Amino acid sequence: MSFRRKMLFAFLGFVLVPLLILGGASYQISSSALKKNISEQTVQTLKAVDRNLMNEVSEVNSFSDYVIASGTIQTFLEVNDTASIIDFYNQQQSIAGMMYGNVHIDDFVIYSKNGRQLHLKNSPVPTFQGLLDSPFYVEMVAQRGRPVWLPPTENREWTSGEEPLLTQGRVIKDPQTLEDIGYLVMNMKIRLFDDIFDPVSMNLSQEFIVDPTGSILYSADHEKIGQELAMDISSFSSQESRYMLTDWEGQKSLVTAIPSQFKTMGSEDLVLVSIKPWDVLADEMIHIRNTTLFLSVAAILIALLFNIFYLRRVSQFIQESLASMKQVEQGSLQVRMKSFKLKELKDISTGFNHMIERIHRLVEDVKKEQIDKREAQFQVLQEQINPHFLYNTLESINALAAMNGQKEISKITINLGKLLRISINGGYEVMVKDELRHVVSYLEIQKIRYDHAFQFHVEIDEDLKKAYVLKLILQPIVENSLLHAFDSEENGMIAIKGYREGNDVVIVIEDNGKGMPLDILESLNGVGDAELGHGIMNVQKRLQLYYGKAYGLIVCSDSLYGTIIKIKFPLKGEKDDV
């Protein structure tokens, strides 16, 4: 992706994304506030509906109280035989007139204890025995005269026709003995609730009475009575009001619910539910959403203009800067950047040109200085003693010692010459076999010095002897063992072993001395901070500087078993680069 596109996307990201987040957050906050406010208003409305509902129910209960306590009903139920058909007819007409005094009553049935039955209409209703066998009768008896209500979904056997009705049943008691003398079943017109719910059904909202299973017990739209609400209302069946935003009949709607005081048989936890279309309520939210979209489009247009009039110039400047830097990186110090119209870009290009000119002058100065240094070093080298003079002198000492029978002096002289050859000659690296020859020469000299108080053993894989290693790394470690590991009365042993480990070479120097103190050991392994001698730490630093942090020394030491120092470095043959 080009730099200009990256800058364009970055601009859009820094402007458009916060704008969308701000718009989305505003929409969500406003939506939540609107949802909460409308729900709280709806809750107050539903509470008022519930109070009106209970007032109507109380009026019906009061009327039924009056009916079951009336002398006509009591007389009808207490007299087992009617004197004549005319008396029975007159009682029936009197009771019917009493019932018709309430405009909400559609039908009623009165059962006496001896099985007599008075029915206003001729529609089929359960017989007295059918009443006794019904759960309705069980609940009426359990309520001991208190009203029992059946919703339109539960009273089919007591109603006729397709119009939904409410049914109330209660036991009729003798006021003197409080014994059950009959049973009253009244069917109430659904208009009893319509007059309450119709005024609140506005803005396409719908209100329902729902049982805990989600079945609609009442709706102003009578066709919905008995249907399922098609949503989970289990969380609404509590003593608190609830609201949620969900789908209803194919559109997003705000659902608010409160528990109702109205109770029916088998459903103690009825819920009043109000459903309002969210699109009608959220006109202000749609305005916020549209404003956010408009601002987003405007930000995109501004970004395009920003790209045309500014980013293109900046991109061209950066591309030319990169091209010039690459030429400088390749060694060309003659490159110069052109001037740009924008002041900031012009200052940068001018500064770049000045920097390259200064670097060019500095490079020339360094070249001249290096030439001068090499000439001075050459003069110094010319004045140094020729190493061959030292070798010839040592050979002369060796010859004189041999002629006088001084074998120890001769051996020391030979080994000292070997030490000087590897120390003075060559580069940074030598073959492993040369490094071993150097440390063996050192050990031979020290063996004579210490009167053969220690022994040493060298065992290196043959194929590793021509590998290259940083020179003078074994002698400081061996010297450390001789100085610190052995006491004068001990018969010390130093073993040097070498083997291959993958693409690396491992050389192990092991002694049977008294080991190292814990603080010294931790410092050698990079854990502690005790002061150490320069020998071993110098080897560690040289190995890591030359080969990298993955290589170097690992030290293990114990007072009973001695010290083991493991040297690890990469395997490099004669033709490998140093």
Side-chain angles (χ1 to χ4, degrees):
M1 183 183 294
S2 66
F3 175 77
R4 188 170 68 182
R5 288 188 178 180
K6 291 180 180 178
M7 290 288 290
L8 179 61
F9 290 149
F11 178 82
L12 291 175
F14 285 118
V15 175
L16 187 59
V17 172
L19 180 63
L20 292 175
I21 292 175
L22 179 62
S26 300
Y27 180 82
Q28 291 297 327
I29 293 172
S30 302
S31 176
S32 298
L34 179 65
K35 181 168 59 176
K36 182 178 180 181
N37 292 336
I38 293 177
S39 295
E40 289 176 351
Q41 295 174 7
T42 305
V43 165
Q44 298 304 319
T45 302
L46 291 178
K47 287 181 177 179
V49 169
D50 194 44
R51 287 193 296 270
N52 294 335
L53 180 65
M54 293 309 298
N55 289 337
E56 290 292 341
V57 170
S58 297
E59 289 185 9
V60 173
N61 292 341
S62 298
F63 176 75
S64 62
D65 288 341
Y66 164 73
V67 170
I68 63 176
S70 67
T72 304
I73 297 294
Q74 292 288 325
T75 301
F76 173 77
L77 296 175
E78 288 174 355
V79 177
N80 294 328
D81 296 320
T82 304
S84 65
I85 296 177
I86 295 175
D87 292 337
F88 177 78
Y89 177 78
N90 289 335
Q91 287 179 346
Q92 183 176 356
Q93 290 300 109
S94 176
I95 294 172
M98 184 190 307
M99 293 296 185
Y100 279 132
N102 191 314
V103 296
H104 294 301
I105 293 179
D106 179 77
D107 191 10
F108 72 91
V109 183
I110 297 176
Y111 297 93
S112 67
K113 286 287 286 187
N114 59 7
R116 295 175 62 197
Q117 179 177 321
L118 176 59
H119 184 201
L120 179 63
K121 294 183 177 180
N122 293 324
S123 57
V125 293
T127 64
F128 180 66
Q129 186 60 42
L131 172 67
L132 297 180
D133 295 336
S134 67
F136 192 28
Y137 168 79
V138 175
E139 185 66 20
M140 282 192 291
V141 172
Q143 292 298 323
R144 298 180 180 180
R146 290 187 293 270
V148 178
W149 287 88
L150 288 178
T153 57
E154 303 292 336
N155 63 356
R156 299 303 184 189
E157 59 183 333
W158 301 98
T159 60
S160 60
E162 297 182 356
E163 181 182 2
L165 300 171
L166 293 164
T167 299
Q168 185 195 81
R170 59 192 306 178
V171 174
I172 303 174
K173 291 182 176 291
D174 186 336
Q176 303 299 326
T177 63
L178 296 181
E179 294 181 357
D180 296 349
I181 60 175
Y183 308 95
L184 171 65
V185 178
M186 293 191 304
N187 289 332
M188 312 301 295
K189 296 177 182 177
I190 203 70
R191 189 174 60 192
L192 175 70
F193 288 173
D194 289 345
D195 295 340
I196 300 172
F197 280 84
D198 285 343
V200 300
S201 297
M202 59 184 65
N203 293 330
L204 302 178
S205 68
Q206 300 182 60
E207 284 71 33
F208 307 100
I209 300 176
V210 184
D211 67 13
T213 65
S215 178
I216 299 175
L217 304 185
Y218 171 79
S219 170
D221 182 1
H222 296 170
E223 294 183 358
K224 287 187 169 63
I225 295 177
Q227 297 180 7
E228 295 296 323
L229 194 60
M231 67 177 65
D232 183 13
I233 64 163
S234 58
S235 60
F236 294 150
S237 301
S238 66
Q239 298 304 314
E240 300 179 2
S241 60
R242 295 282 193 277
Y243 64 90
M244 65 178 179
L245 208 58
T246 186
D247 289 333
W248 166 256
E249 294 184 342
Q251 66 179 119
K252 198 174 185 180
S253 302
L254 178 63
V255 180
T256 308
I258 65 169
S260 175
Q261 302 177 61
F262 182 52
K263 311 296 181 185
T264 62
M265 190 185 81
S267 297
E268 295 294 326
D269 299 321
L270 299 184
V271 180
L272 282 174
V273 178
S274 175
I275 301 177
K276 297 182 179 181
W278 181 247
D279 291 341
V280 177
L281 303 174
D283 288 339
E284 296 180 4
M285 303 300 99
I286 295 174
H287 176 70
I288 293 176
R289 181 193 64 191
N290 293 340
T291 301
T292 302
L293 293 176
F294 172 77
L295 293 176
S296 301
V297 173
I300 293 174
L301 293 176
I302 293 173
L304 294 176
L305 294 175
F306 177 74
N307 174 56
I308 294 173
F309 294 104
Y310 186 78
L311 281 184
R312 181 177 296 175
R313 296 179 181 179
V314 175
S315 176
Q316 290 175 351
F317 167 77
I318 292 176
Q319 290 175 357
E320 183 169 339
S321 299
L322 291 174
S324 300
M325 290 178 183
K326 286 182 179 179
Q327 293 183 40
V328 173
E329 184 181 1
Q330 293 170 358
S332 175
L333 296 178
Q334 308 300 325
V335 63
R336 297 292 183 271
M337 289 184 64
K338 69 179 183 180
S339 180
F340 289 82
K341 293 182 179 180
L342 290 175
K343 182 179 181 302
E344 294 81 0
L345 304 183
K346 181 179 179 181
D347 292 343
I348 294 174
S349 61
T350 302
F352 176 84
N353 293 336
H354 290 164
M355 180 185 67
I356 296 302
E357 291 175 0
R358 181 167 178 78
I359 291 175
H360 180 70
R361 290 197 300 269
L362 290 174
V363 169
E364 294 298 324
D365 292 343
V366 170
K367 286 181 180 179
K368 185 176 182 304
E369 183 180 354
Q370 291 297 324
I371 292 173
D372 294 341
K373 281 184 178 181
R374 282 198 296 270
E375 291 178 353
Q377 289 174 354
F378 181 73
Q379 294 296 329
V380 171
L381 290 174
Q382 281 185 330
E383 296 173 1
Q384 288 180 345
I385 299 175
N386 191 335
H388 291 287
F389 170 74
L390 291 176
Y391 302 151
N392 294 333
T393 302
L394 289 174
E395 288 294 334
S396 299
I397 295 173
N398 178 40
L400 289 173
M403 290 173 62
N404 289 283
Q406 298 293 329
K407 295 182 178 180
E408 299 291 343
I409 295 176
S410 175
K411 191 172 184 179
I412 290 175
T413 305
I414 293 172
N415 286 313
L416 180 59
K418 294 179 181 179
L419 284 176
L420 289 175
R421 287 182 187 276
I422 193 171
S423 300
I424 296 175
N425 296 333
Y428 293 115
E429 288 184 316
V430 295
M431 289 186 182
V432 171
K433 64 179 181 179
D434 295 329
E435 178 67 9
L436 290 173
R437 184 168 61 245
H438 176 269
V439 74
V440 168
S441 298
Y442 172 79
L443 286 171
E444 291 290 351
I445 294 173
Q446 294 293 66
K447 192 173 180 181
I448 296 172
R449 177 187 173 190
Y450 286 102
D451 195 20
H452 300 275
F454 70 92
Q455 300 295 324
F456 66 88
H457 173 69
V458 179
E459 181 181 349
I460 299 290
D461 291 350
E462 193 66 30
D463 59 341
L464 298 179
K465 290 185 176 181
K466 291 187 177 181
Y468 276 79
V469 64
L470 195 63
K471 71 178 182 180
L472 301 178
I473 62 171
L474 298 180
Q475 182 269 331
I477 298 174
V478 171
E479 180 180 4
N480 184 77
S481 296
L482 293 176
L483 293 177
H484 304 291
F486 306 125
D487 293 329
S488 58
E489 66 276 5
E490 291 181 349
N491 184 18
M493 180 66 187
I494 297 176
I496 302 174
K497 301 176 182 179
Y499 56 89
R500 180 172 180 172
E501 193 176 86
N503 293 324
D504 300 325
V505 178
V506 176
I507 297 179
V508 179
I509 299 95
E510 181 177 357
D511 66 57
N512 61 347
K514 58 186 178 181
M516 297 182 182
L518 181 60
D519 57 341
I520 301 295
L521 180 63
E522 289 178 346
S523 297
L524 287 174
N525 287 317
V527 178
D529 54 2
E531 294 188 4
L532 306 172
H534 296 292
I536 297 181
M537 291 307 298
N538 182 49
V539 172
Q540 173 77 320
K541 290 179 181 178
R542 287 170 59 213
L543 286 169
Q544 292 189 342
L545 284 173
Y546 200 76
Y547 296 121
K549 295 293 184 180
Y551 299 97
L553 303 179
I554 298 176
V555 183
C556 300
S557 185
D558 185 84
S559 60
L560 297 178
Y561 300 102
T563 302
I564 299 175
I565 298 179
K566 180 179 178 181
I567 304 174
K568 185 177 181 181
F569 56 91
L571 177 62
K572 301 172 71 174
E574 293 184 63
K575 296 183 180 181
D576 292 336
D577 293 331
V578 176

